């Protein structure tokens, strides 16, 4: 948590509650025109500021939605300047504002750069806070317990623990981001931070000093709070992040990168229980039992039986990565008997914990966690089938996901619309949903039906960029169908002439990790064989931020990546002049949740492909294509290799949703683009 406050230095903020909504809405247009003009407050304060009509119009629409407490869906093309367009009216007239972002990067950018810039320009007397999840704060209790128990497996972790202990003597926030000496991914953080399950709350001896509680109190007093979608929806689902206390007092809620909301909300409105959660409980039961009730039970045996049952459940799937709906698991599989064994072992452990719970608060806490886990496992095993209807009438799909060392059991709602609508009930407030990609050819129906926003106003503002002259869409001739065995090799062969002509300066965006690996291997071979000195950067070889920094600095690099580079990536100027997309980004049809959604849609007379898969692919493709032109002076080629863009009847709908680039299928035309002024 970082929070800043500034004194009231201007009476510029207008209190809207004293004015009729119509008066308020109308009164803001002139102010916004002035504010966003060349000689307005933003123009005076922001270097290189240029007025953009689409930005001004979007700001007016946001101001009107705030004044009338409306829900507004605002699609703003790349280059509109949507961040300033919503921040200015929000800081001036939004009251208590929550801004939720799709990524941690944008969250930091808003808090550290954009909001301070706009606040200073407007002389707006608002305080701002950044809210993080509890895993970002060191917990006094768990740090002390880890120092005492010494349950560390590596010398590296011992060193990290020493650094954390030293840091705790001087920090006022407890935010692990301040301690750069310990990597964010270090396993020791799991031992010195709390989770919802193992936090002792007001019973904790360190409650008055708790950094999580201090952060949440600070946020309550801030005028503007910046969160991310994961935090927002984790709170809606779990009431565990501090947003639950914020929401009742919020006048305005703004979701930036709102195209990510359906997926994030689906994740959190579902329910997941994993073998990792069971193993963590076993570890704590043994530690607390031996510490506070050594004579009460044979704790290694009690916890070991459950631990073994959880590991055996994971081993019922031989493969490393598995995604199966419950009805796809073979009846002869050992999975179902192993699940029953785990539930029985958990019940036995609960019986032991009940007898010893009064001896220590931490043992009682373990008992509560064990009961919750046993209930989750019991609920997952409810009616077997693609969908399970709950008491709330919501249809859910039951499915399993196996990783190398854990197994997750998921219950996922087929639609989040009814659940999200409940969150919007209650006190009238403004809801803003904004992104560069929310519509399919100016049609918002797919998004509104996913989110349950049928009553919302929807507006779209085109990008101010001159796409016809700044970019070229190239679809090569003679490529095989995307399911051909050597498709990625064909993509690389078709791409190499353009990569050479562009002088590197290229993103190759793939739809699968396997394609990333194959394309990277081929490019490495070809660069060596052809004597090309373009630096090659591959997703997974370093963190995303580090790869992007190196890409920008090199000026002639080629970066191969999958989903995490399709969106939220901003490379301006000549460093990126060619974006190659290997395939149209359709979701894999064997995904258990997608399969269940399509089946449910088709039961209701809809076409799953037309009404779900195609719009999803178009929105994803628009995100990938949006990496190319980021500024008025950028130029480049967008190469989409998938022949279905031309050969299939739906292809036209796809390319008509993309920026209005000139189009060609001729390699010579694409090559000439790089040599033209």
């Amino acid at each position: 948590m970082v929070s800043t406050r500034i004194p009231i230095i201007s009476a510029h903020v207008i209190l809207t509650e004293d004015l009729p909504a119509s008066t308020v809405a109308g009164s803001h247009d002139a102010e916004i025109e002035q504010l966003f003009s060349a000689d307005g407050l933003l123009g005076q304060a922001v270097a290189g500021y240029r007025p953009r009509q689409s930005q001004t119009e979007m700001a007016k629409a946001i101001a009107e939605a705030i004044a009338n407490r409306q829900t507004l869906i605002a699609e703003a093309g790349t280059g509109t300047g949507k961040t300033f367009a919503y921040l200015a009216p929000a800081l001036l007239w939004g009251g208590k504002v929550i801004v939720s972002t799709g990524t941690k990067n944008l969250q930091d950018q808003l808090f550290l750069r954009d909001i301070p810039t706009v606040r200073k320009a407007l002389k707006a007397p608002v305080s701002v806070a950044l809210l993080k999840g509890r895993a970002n704060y060191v917990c006094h209790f768990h740090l002390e317990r880890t120092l005492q128990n010494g349950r560390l497996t590596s010398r590296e972790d011992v060193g990290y623990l020493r650094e954390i202990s030293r840091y705790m003597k001087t920090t006022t926030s407890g935010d692990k981001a301040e301690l750069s000496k310990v990597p964010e991914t270090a396993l020791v953080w799991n031992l010195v931070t709390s989770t919802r399950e193992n936090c002792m709350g007001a019973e904790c001896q360190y409650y008055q000093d708790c950094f999580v509680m201090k952060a949440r109190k600070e946020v309550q007093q801030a005028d503007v709070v910046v969160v991310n979608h994961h935090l927002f929806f984790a709170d809606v689902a779990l009431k565990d992040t501090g947003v639950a206390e914020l929401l009742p007092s919020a006048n305005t809620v703004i979701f930036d990168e709102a195209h990510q909301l359906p997926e994030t909300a689906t994740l959190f409105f579902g329910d997941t229980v994993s073998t990792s959660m069971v193993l963590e409980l076993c570890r704590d039961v043994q530690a607390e039992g031996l510490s506070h009730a050594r004579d009460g039970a044979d704790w290694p045996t009690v916890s070991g039986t459950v631990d073994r049952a959880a590991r055996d459940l994971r081993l019922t799937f031989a493969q490393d990565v598995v995604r199966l709906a419950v009805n796809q698991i073979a009846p002869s599989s050992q999975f179902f008997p192993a699940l029953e064994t785990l539930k029985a072992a958990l019940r036995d452990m609960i019986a032991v914990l009940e007898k010893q719970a009064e001896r220590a608060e931490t043992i009682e806490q373990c008992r509560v966690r064990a009961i919750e886990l046993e209930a989750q496992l019991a609920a997952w095993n409810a009616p077997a089938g693609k969908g399970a209807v709950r008491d709330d009438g919501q249809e859910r799909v039951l499915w399993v996901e196996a990783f190398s060392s854990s197994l997750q059991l998921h219950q996922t709602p087929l639609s989040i619309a009814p659940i999200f609508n409940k969150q919007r009930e209650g006190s009238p407030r403004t809801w803003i949903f904004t992104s560069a990609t929310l519509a399919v050819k100016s049609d918002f129906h797919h998004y509104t039906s996913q989110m349950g926003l049928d009553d919302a106003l929807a507006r779209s503002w085109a990008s101010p960029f001159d796409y016809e002259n700044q970019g070229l869409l190239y679809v090569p001739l003679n490529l095989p169908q995307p399911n051909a065995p050597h498709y990625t090799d064909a993509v690389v062969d078709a791409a190499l002439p353009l990569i050479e002509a562009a002088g590197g300066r290229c993103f190759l965006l793939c739809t699968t990790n396997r394609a990333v690996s194959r394309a990277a291997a081929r490019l490495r071979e070809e660069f060596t064989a052809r004597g090309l000195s373009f630096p090659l950067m591959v997703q997974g070889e370093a963190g995303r931020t580090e790869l992007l920094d190196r890409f920008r600095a090199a000026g002639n690099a080629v970066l191969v990546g999958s989903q995490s580079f399709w969106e939220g990536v901003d490379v301006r100027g000549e460093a990126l002049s060619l974006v190659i997309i290997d395939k149209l980004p359709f979701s894999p049809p064997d995904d258990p949740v997608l399969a269940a959604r399509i089946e449910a849609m088709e039961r209701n007379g809809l076409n799953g492909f037309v009404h779900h898969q195609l719009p999803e692919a178009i929105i994803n493709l628009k995100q990938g294509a949006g990496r190319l032109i980021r500024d008025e002076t950028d130029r480049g080629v967008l190469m989409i290799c998938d022949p279905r863009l031309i050969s299939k009847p739906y292809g036209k709908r796809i390319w008509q949703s993309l920026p209005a680039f000139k189009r060609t299928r001729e390699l010579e035309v694409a090559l000439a683009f790089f040599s033209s002024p």
Side-chain angles (χ1 to χ4, degrees):
M1 161 65 57
V2 186
S3 181
T4 55
R5 289 191 162 273
I6 61 171
I8 296 180
I9 51 178
S10 164
H12 197 70
V13 174
I14 298 170
L15 297 177
T16 59
E17 50 267 37
D18 300 330
L19 297 172
S22 57
T23 307
V24 172
S27 69
H28 293 334
D29 282 4
E31 286 181 73
I32 285 173
E33 285 282 358
Q34 174 57 31
L35 183 61
F36 284 88
S37 67
D39 57 352
L41 291 176
L42 287 169
Q44 294 168 31
V46 179
Y49 177 83
R50 287 188 299 281
R52 283 167 264 189
Q53 189 59 33
S54 54
Q55 184 181 52
T56 306
E57 294 303 321
M58 179 178 171
K60 288 179 186 176
I62 302 275
E64 186 171 347
I66 288 172
N68 296 318
R69 294 176 179 172
Q70 293 169 315
T71 298
L72 174 68
I73 301 169
E75 182 183 64
T78 308
T80 303
K82 62 183 167 63
T83 308
F84 281 18
Y86 68 68
L87 281 179
L91 295 190
L92 290 174
W93 307 298
K96 178 105 175 177
V97 179
I98 298 173
V99 182
S100 181
T101 72
T103 60
K104 192 176 174 184
N105 286 347
L106 181 56
Q107 191 182 5
D108 289 341
Q109 178 188 312
L110 275 168
F111 179 73
L112 298 171
R113 194 178 77 196
D114 294 341
I115 293 177
T117 299
V118 175
R119 180 176 67 175
K120 185 179 178 183
L122 303 184
K123 299 183 174 60
V126 295
S127 56
V128 187
L130 183 69
L131 180 63
K132 297 184 176 181
R134 65 163 66 245
N136 290 277
Y137 302 96
V138 182
C139 168
H140 292 86
F141 173 78
H142 287 287
L143 174 63
E144 182 182 304
R145 193 177 73 162
T146 302
L147 286 167
Q148 287 173 350
N149 292 350
R151 294 181 297 174
L152 299 174
T153 54
S154 74
R155 184 177 297 175
E156 200 175 41
D157 281 345
V158 172
Y160 290 154
L161 185 62
R162 198 177 299 120
E163 289 290 349
I164 294 168
S165 183
R166 204 174 289 140
Y167 162 71
M168 285 289 274
K169 295 186 172 94
T170 57
T171 180
T172 56
S173 73
D175 186 344
K176 70 180 190 182
E178 293 176 358
L179 186 55
S180 57
K181 290 180 181 176
V182 181
E184 195 177 341
T185 53
L187 293 175
V188 71
W189 286 121
N190 297 330
L191 299 174
V192 298
T193 55
S194 69
T195 64
R196 182 177 70 101
E197 290 78 18
N198 66 22
C199 172
M200 295 174 63
E203 302 296 323
C204 180
Q205 67 199 83
Y206 297 107
Y207 185 72
Q208 296 303 319
D209 302 314
C210 175
F211 292 122
V212 173
M213 293 303 122
K214 282 182 179 176
R216 291 180 183 178
K217 281 178 189 167
E218 207 171 320
V219 160
Q220 292 302 314
Q221 295 161 9
D223 301 308
V224 179
V225 180
V226 185
V227 301
N228 61 54
H229 300 340
H230 281 261
L231 195 66
F232 187 94
F233 284 110
D235 191 276
V236 167
L238 306 173
K239 302 289 182 286
D240 183 51
T241 69
V243 178
E245 297 89 40
L246 281 177
L247 206 49
S249 62
N251 308 101
T252 304
V253 181
I254 299 170
F255 292 106
D256 200 341
E257 297 178 319
H259 63 280
Q260 296 181 8
L261 288 180
E263 189 176 335
T264 308
T266 297
L267 179 71
F268 284 104
F269 289 146
D271 185 54
T272 297
V273 59
S274 71
T275 56
S276 298
M277 293 161 71
V278 177
L279 297 180
E280 190 176 302
L281 171 67
C282 293
R283 185 190 73 193
D284 291 345
V285 165
Q286 180 167 329
E288 300 308 326
L290 291 173
S291 295
H292 302 290
R294 184 175 285 273
D295 59 341
D298 181 354
W299 295 106
T301 301
V302 169
S303 62
T305 303
V306 178
D307 183 295
R308 202 159 40 251
R311 293 180 193 277
D312 287 346
L313 181 64
R314 164 62 193 92
L315 292 173
T316 58
F317 296 99
Q319 309 98 306
D320 263 8
V321 181
V322 175
R323 289 166 66 92
L324 293 172
V326 66
N327 65 314
Q328 294 175 315
I329 302 171
S332 59
S333 164
Q334 288 303 302
F335 168 78
F336 295 104
L339 181 58
E340 293 306 316
T341 301
L342 174 57
K343 288 192 286 188
L346 259 174
R347 285 192 290 270
D348 290 345
M349 185 162 79
I350 290 166
V352 174
L353 290 168
E354 280 175 345
K355 289 178 183 172
Q356 305 299 326
E358 62 187 23
R359 297 180 68 172
E361 179 61 36
T362 50
I363 297 179
E364 164 62 15
Q365 190 182 54
C366 287
R367 183 189 73 87
V368 171
R369 284 165 63 192
I371 289 171
E372 283 182 7
L373 282 174
E374 201 270 332
Q376 282 179 289
L377 289 170
W380 192 90
N381 210 29
K386 285 194 178 176
V389 178
R390 281 272 192 94
D391 293 341
D392 59 7
Q394 290 305 306
E395 197 173 4
R396 298 173 180 245
V397 59
L398 275 60
W399 57 289
V400 299
E401 189 169 21
F403 301 95
S404 55
S405 58
S406 70
L407 183 71
Q408 296 183 347
L409 310 183
H410 302 280
Q411 287 193 56
T412 302
L414 292 188
S415 171
I416 60 159
I419 314 171
F420 187 64
N421 264 333
K422 280 185 186 171
Q423 305 308 318
R424 294 200 301 129
E425 290 170 358
S427 303
R429 61 174 60 90
T430 303
W431 297 84
I432 308 292
F433 300 81
T434 186
S435 167
T437 55
L438 294 172
V440 176
K441 239 184 103 184
S442 304
D443 181 356
F444 289 89
H445 177 73
H446 177 64
Y447 188 76
T448 57
S449 61
Q450 279 185 304
M451 295 296 296
L453 300 175
D454 297 328
D455 59 334
L457 297 168
R459 299 279 305 276
S460 188
W461 292 272
S463 168
F465 298 156
D466 180 7
Y467 283 122
E468 190 169 345
N469 290 308
Q470 287 182 255
L472 178 73
L473 171 60
Y474 167 53
V475 182
L477 293 160
N478 303 320
L479 275 177
Q481 289 302 307
N483 58 359
H486 302 294
Y487 181 76
T488 302
D489 290 287
V491 166
V492 172
D493 290 337
L496 277 164
L498 266 76
I499 293 173
E500 285 197 62
R505 304 186 296 154
C506 167
F507 274 8
L508 173 50
L509 301 178
C510 302
T511 52
T512 65
N513 290 329
R514 183 183 300 169
V516 168
S517 300
R518 180 59 194 157
R522 272 294 313 280
L523 287 173
R524 217 169 253 124
E525 290 169 15
E526 294 290 344
F527 287 179
T528 302
R530 298 173 185 224
L532 300 174
S533 57
F534 307 137
L536 183 63
M537 293 155 195
V538 184
Q539 180 177 327
E541 291 181 353
R544 186 171 91 151
T545 303
E546 184 186 335
L547 284 175
L548 286 170
D549 288 344
R550 280 163 42 192
F551 182 89
R552 290 188 188 100
N556 67 336
V558 175
L559 186 148
V560 188
S562 64
Q563 194 58 51
S564 63
F565 286 92
W566 282 64
E567 57 182 275
V569 173
D570 191 13
V571 179
R572 300 182 183 213
E574 291 191 350
L576 180 58
S577 299
L578 172 63
V579 171
I580 303 165
I581 293 176
D582 72 337
K583 292 182 187 179
L584 298 177
F586 288 111
S587 299
D590 59 350
D591 178 271
V593 179
L594 176 62
R597 278 199 177 128
I598 289 171
E599 184 181 290
M601 292 177 86
E602 291 180 348
R603 282 202 305 270
N604 293 322
L606 297 172
N607 182 303
F609 179 78
V610 170
H611 294 102
H612 186 78
Q613 286 171 284
L614 184 58
E616 284 287 294
I618 290 172
I619 287 170
N620 282 340
L621 188 65
K622 284 171 71 176
Q623 279 291 329
R627 297 318 98 213
L628 182 62
I629 306 296
R630 307 297 300 173
D631 201 270
E632 283 93 341
T633 58
D634 284 359
R635 292 181 81 252
V637 172
L638 172 65
M639 177 180 177
I640 301 179
C641 298
D642 196 324
R644 292 175 294 181
L645 193 62
I646 306 299
S647 64
K648 295 292 184 183
Y650 56 76
K652 186 175 181 182
R653 190 172 176 208
I654 295 175
W655 59 253
Q656 285 181 337
S657 296
L658 295 173
F661 297 134
K662 285 178 181 165
R663 300 187 299 275
T664 187
R665 302 209 66 193
E666 302 298 329
L667 175 61
E668 290 72 22
V669 175
L671 294 174
F673 187 89
F674 291 109
S675 55
S676 61

